[in-house]
Amino acid sequence: MSAAAQSDAPIYERLIRERGDVAADARRTAEATWREVSRAVDFRLPYATATHDVRPR
């Protein structure tokens, strides 16, 4: 649902009609980028680092 459909502000709705819903477009682009990056990069920590203190003593 676009921001214009949720708004009671006629000025905002007019801007959406004239310029497009930039916030919704940015959100969709960010979500698509996150999905693409998630497939390419493993963000999980290695098991040993996540469960043990590996700092030198």
Side-chain angles (χ1 to χ4, degrees), residues 49 52-57:
T49 319
H52 299 76
D53 184 4
V54 294
R55 292 178 290 179
R57 296 178 194 257

Side-chain angles (χ1 to χ4, degrees), residues 28-52:
R28 283 190 296 272
T29 300
E31 290 168 352
T33 301
W34 179 253
R35 284 190 303 273
E36 184 176 338
V37 167
S38 294
R39 287 190 296 266
V41 179
D42 183 4
F43 288 108
R44 295 174 297 171
L45 291 174
Y47 180 76
T49 319
T51 59
H52 299 76

Side-chain angles (χ1 to χ4, degrees), residues 3-22:
Q6 299 173 356
S7 174
D8 291 326
I11 293 171
Y12 185 71
E13 291 174 8
R14 181 175 155 224
L15 284 171
I16 296 295
R17 282 193 310 272
E18 291 175 0
R19 307 273 178 161
D21 193 342
V22 176

